[in-house]
Amino acid sequence: MTAPLATRLRRGARSLVVTGLLRLLSLIPLGPAVRLGAFLGGLAARLFGGTRRLALSHLALAFPEKSAAEREEIARRMFVHLGMSAMEITSIGSFADRVEAYMELSPEVLRGALAKGKGVVFVTGHLGNWELMARAVAKVGAPVSAVAKRGGDARAMRLIEGWRAEGAVTTLWREDASTARALLRVFKENRVLGLLCDQDTNVQGVWVPFFGRPAWSPRAPADLALRTGAPILVGTSHRKGERPGDGFLFEVTEVAYDPKPADKEAEVLRITAACQAVLEEAIRRHPADWVWMHERWKTQPPPPAPPSQGRPFRSGRLERGPGGAWAGVDRRAGRRVRQSFTDTRGRNLHFRGAIGAATQPATWRRSRLDRGACREAGADEMSEDHGFLLDSRARGGVSDHSHNSWCWEHG
């Protein structure tokens, strides 16, 4: 549906102002730009009380042993750091030829991983300056492709995409249909795939500890590594000082894994937990360099459901029910099936299935697998048009009209 003309004009004017301001700021050299960023960050800490309080609430969860004054100081320094980081990105043209020195990266681990010829899965987070990290990797290692989500301002997105491209960083937009194939080309061409994995987003993931609490974490790094054999590196950066020109220390850690695990799901969980542990350890050492306003623990696993006796499911199809829940409709009788379950992210699901079940499922996993991809992943197809056995623990599954395969495991 097209927005009203007045709305489109207002959005267009705002977009022109934002992109014009970004272009103007890009003319400021690094030193003055970072000082301006520090000032603006400190001002934001005083003006944006809601964001500061949100950051403080998360700091209290992560660092209960610290005093309120210590957490206040971390939150203030976080704002200053983010202001400096934003201006470092806009002024990149003034020091692009020495970005690897500004980031102080020892390239041995990265080059050793690339020497294997399978590409690199490079995991990082919103710690330090992640945009400069990508440029530094491209400068000393190989071209980088970074997966990102489009923002609301198309002009600003094109401008940022252009800045990244100037530093040999290609943006792969998560929403584009071509991104899946582009991901695999990265590994075939022995390049680096950058993934930001420190946020609670609506992607395939697993529950792993983060600061002692369950956190929904992307499983893509583990899945891609197990599929391609590419090594996994976790990169973190932190400021060496708060003066303009101090730069960052860029550290890289390799996460080892079993390329042919007996239990793939267990290995995915172990790899994901190891990556999050590296990020957590770096954040603990330099807490002011992370984005504490992000709701990292927004989603929490539901309490385990008590086991109960199930019954065979009827053949049918999935439909959205009241409130957006999935509901199963019996194809023959046209009535709703009474079985209902809760997935690992707390969403209530009501549906049918084509496979009999002896026990009500207690745990759900979701995967973006259609029939062809399921075969390619080595899964066993359980019925003609829906239901896949994804691993030895799964006991059934159904696929909705968007090819979202829902597979259940017995508790």
Side-chain angles (χ1 to χ4, degrees):
M1 182 178 178
T2 305
L5 178 61
T7 301
R8 283 183 280 136
L9 290 174
R10 185 168 60 251
R11 289 174 180 171
R14 182 177 59 196
S15 176
L16 288 172
V17 170
V18 170
T19 54
L21 180 60
L22 289 174
R23 293 184 186 279
L24 182 64
L25 292 173
S26 69
L27 302 175
I28 306 175
L30 176 63
V34 174
R35 283 191 286 271
L36 175 60
F39 169 76
L40 293 175
L43 184 62
R46 293 190 290 271
L47 294 179
F48 296 99
T51 303
R52 188 183 71 254
R53 287 189 292 273
L54 186 61
L56 288 171
S57 68
H58 297 149
L59 281 164
L61 292 175
F63 297 108
E65 73 281 3
K66 293 186 181 296
S67 67
E70 289 175 312
R71 294 195 289 265
E72 284 277 2
E73 177 60 13
I74 292 172
R76 184 197 67 79
R77 289 171 51 214
M78 177 200 70
F79 277 98
V80 172
H81 158 71
L82 291 174
M84 295 169 69
S85 294
M87 295 305 296
E88 285 164 337
I89 295 168
T90 60
S91 65
I92 184 62
S94 66
F95 68 104
D97 58 341
R98 52 190 174 89
V99 66
E100 73 275 19
Y102 192 75
M103 296 304 293
E104 194 180 331
L105 167 63
S106 297
E108 289 78 15
V109 176
L110 175 61
R111 289 174 178 169
L114 287 167
K116 299 176 182 178
K118 296 183 177 181
V120 171
V121 178
F122 197 92
V123 178
T124 188
H126 297 80
L127 175 66
N129 195 315
W130 52 97
E131 293 284 350
L132 297 187
M133 287 169 63
R135 278 193 173 238
V137 168
K139 192 78 177 288
V140 305
V144 174
S145 294
V147 179
K149 183 179 180 181
R150 290 187 189 276
D153 192 323
R155 285 192 181 90
M157 290 299 101
R158 286 195 296 270
L159 180 60
I160 293 171
E161 188 174 7
W163 280 348
R164 289 172 177 163
E166 291 172 2
V169 179
T170 301
T171 305
L172 302 179
W173 299 112
R174 192 189 302 169
E175 299 83 0
D176 291 355
S178 60
T179 293
R181 288 195 180 96
L183 288 176
L184 297 180
R185 282 200 302 271
V186 169
F187 302 109
K188 291 178 180 178
E189 296 171 5
N190 196 30
R191 294 187 281 121
V192 178
L193 179 67
L195 298 168
L196 288 163
C197 294
D198 62 336
Q199 293 193 340
D200 183 341
T201 54
N202 188 26
V203 297
Q204 294 181 54
V206 291
W207 298 107
V208 297
F210 191 71
F211 283 85
R213 299 174 63 85
W216 185 252
S217 305
R219 57 178 289 157
D223 285 332
L224 288 168
L226 290 171
R227 179 171 181 175
T228 64
I232 301 173
L233 303 182
V234 182
T236 62
S237 66
H238 63 268
R239 291 192 180 275
K240 294 188 288 185
E242 295 191 8
R243 297 174 303 175
D246 282 345
F248 293 81
L249 181 63
F250 186 172
E251 300 173 307
V252 179
T253 303
E254 181 166 4
V255 173
Y257 65 91
D258 181 356
K260 296 182 179 180
D263 187 336
K264 180 182 175 182
E265 283 302 306
E267 187 65 5
V268 166
L269 189 65
R270 192 199 64 78
I271 292 170
T272 307
C275 291
Q276 294 297 315
V278 174
L279 294 174
E280 178 185 332
E281 193 274 335
I283 295 168
R284 284 188 179 276
R285 286 187 285 119
H286 306 281
D289 290 358
W290 195 55
V291 286
W292 288 101
M293 72 282 287
H294 173 68
E295 295 180 275
R296 185 66 181 93
W297 302 278
K298 173 178 61 178
T299 307
Q300 286 294 290
S308 64
Q309 189 67 24
R311 59 181 174 83
F313 297 122
R314 294 179 180 273
S315 175
R317 67 184 186 275
L318 287 176
E319 290 184 354
R320 286 282 188 182
W326 285 109
V329 177
D330 190 314
R331 187 177 286 132
R332 292 164 298 181
R335 60 180 177 80
R336 295 194 179 279
V337 177
R338 297 177 181 177
Q339 300 287 70
S340 64
F341 309 96
T342 302
D343 71 5
T344 53
R345 302 197 73 181
R347 293 170 290 207
N348 292 323
L349 303 172
H350 310 272
F351 73 102
R352 62 86 191 107
I355 313 301
T359 308
Q360 178 172 313
T363 305
W364 285 82
R365 292 186 299 103
R366 181 183 182 183
S367 61
R368 297 280 301 180
L369 292 175
D370 56 22
R371 290 169 59 191
C374 201
R375 293 194 192 99
E376 186 175 348
D380 299 321
E381 190 173 358
M382 294 187 69
S383 70
E384 180 60 29
D385 53 0
H386 54 254
F388 304 109
L389 179 64
L390 295 189
D391 59 42
S392 60
R393 294 178 300 163
R395 293 296 181 268
V398 293
S399 179
D400 65 19
H401 297 309
S402 299
H403 299 296
N404 294 311
S405 297
W406 296 90
C407 301
W408 63 86
E409 301 170 354
H410 286 300

